[in-house]
Amino acid sequence: MSVRVRRVYEPPEPEDGVRVLVDRLWPRGLSKDAARVDEWPKALTPSTELRRWYHGSEGSYEEFSRRYEAELAAPEAAELLDQVRELTDEGAVTLLTAAKSPEQSHAAVLARLLQG
């Protein structure tokens, strides 16, 4: 099982496997052809409230991770997480995000959950 996180703006690579966009909004200035996204489970992304809290001055990554994991326990998100987990059983999966620091984003939380 191989799960990695990349910025959606980076060119696709053969070892990406299934490319899953894990942002709620489509990335600015990127065409769908260039992005080569295979899956886009929007309900798997953090809530607007959580995103705003995290990007505000008081949000720590550790607390964001804890709150996001709690959101992922909701039925719709849990079902989508299971579907992505099934993709990892079939081969490589790349989680795509427009976040400037993917290693400190919701995509990193998802990758950890999928690998754990």
Side-chain angles (χ1 to χ4, degrees):
M1 163 175 41
S2 171
V3 177
R4 65 186 199 161
V5 176
R6 297 185 65 214
R7 290 199 74 218
V8 69
Y9 298 108
E10 296 172 6
E13 296 178 351
E15 52 276 350
D16 283 349
V18 178
R19 294 170 53 87
V20 181
L21 179 63
V22 292
D23 290 346
R24 188 169 303 263
L25 302 174
W26 188 262
R28 283 183 198 209
L30 189 65
S31 73
K32 294 192 182 201
D33 286 340
R36 288 205 11 234
V37 168
D38 299 307
E39 303 285 337
W40 189 15
K42 294 178 193 173
L44 198 57
T45 61
S47 67
T48 300
E49 297 79 18
L50 181 56
R51 280 194 329 271
R52 287 182 180 155
W53 173 84
Y54 179 49
H55 295 297
S57 59
E58 73 274 3
S60 73
Y61 181 69
E62 292 75 23
E63 180 64 15
F64 167 78
S65 296
R66 189 188 67 69
R67 291 181 185 194
Y68 182 40
E69 286 184 42
E71 287 187 356
L72 290 171
E76 184 179 7
E79 182 178 328
L80 288 172
L81 187 60
D82 286 342
Q83 288 174 11
V84 175
R85 190 173 283 118
E86 287 173 13
L87 293 173
T88 67
D89 292 339
E90 299 168 12
V93 171
T94 298
L95 304 178
L96 302 169
T97 181
K100 291 181 182 175
S101 299
E103 65 282 350
Q104 293 283 304
S105 73
H106 64 288
V109 174
L110 287 172
R112 181 173 41 79
L113 292 175
L114 291 167
Q115 292 172 338

